[in-house]
Amino acid sequence: PGGRAVARVKAVLRRASMAVPPGEVEHISVGGLEVDKTRQEVTVHGKPVYLTQTEYEILWLLASHRGKPFTRQEIAMALWGHGNIGLSRSIDTHIARLRKKIERDPPDPEFIKTVTGLGYKFPG
């Protein structure tokens, strides 16, 4: 059994631990964007948006910590349990795809802002 199998098991366990504890925010609504953690559903202006699991997890991480900037390494750490510097491009790719799905104007995003020299944040 290789490291990939172990990584997959760790990812499943981490996602299971992301279940909503009592009293924690389960729904975020900002400017036409709705994110429901319990159902893992996203809508923009009432229209469903279909995200990959990774895109959803990035969106939830940023939206549930409004105003807090995250480095690419912090995002990788939250998603995969390690902040390998090689994942920076992967994070950028996921962010670009996510913006295409949820933003009216992806080059000028209102939800997922770039923090120059640092990473990304959801405006507070």
Side-chain angles (χ1 to χ4, degrees):
R4 287 180 176 238
V6 172
R8 279 195 294 269
V9 170
K10 286 182 178 179
V12 168
L13 291 173
R14 187 182 56 260
R15 286 185 182 124
S17 73
M18 291 179 73
V20 181
E24 187 176 308
V25 173
E26 298 178 12
H27 187 88
I28 295 169
S29 178
V30 178
L33 175 70
E34 305 273 337
V35 186
D36 185 315
K37 185 168 186 176
T38 305
R39 294 189 182 122
Q40 289 203 358
E41 293 177 348
V42 177
T43 59
V44 177
H45 302 292
K47 295 179 184 173
V49 177
Y50 301 99
L51 303 179
T52 67
Q53 186 67 34
T54 299
E55 290 165 349
Y56 175 82
E57 289 177 9
I58 290 171
L59 178 60
W60 183 262
L61 175 70
L62 297 176
S64 64
H65 295 88
R66 292 178 66 180
K68 180 191 182 319
F70 284 87
T71 66
R72 290 165 184 84
Q73 289 77 20
E74 288 171 328
I75 294 170
M77 194 72 171
L79 298 181
W80 301 302
H82 56 84
N84 183 332
I85 193 74
L87 294 173
S88 291
R89 292 295 114 205
S90 176
I91 297 296
D92 292 343
T93 300
H94 288 298
I95 293 284
R97 289 181 182 151
L98 184 53
R99 282 176 170 162
K100 284 181 185 175
K101 293 178 180 183
I102 68 167
E103 301 283 1
R104 285 184 225 217
D105 182 11
D108 185 23
E110 65 180 292
F111 299 121
I112 300 178
K113 300 284 191 180
T114 299
V115 180
T116 306
L118 184 64
Y120 301 98
K121 73 174 183 175
F122 199 93

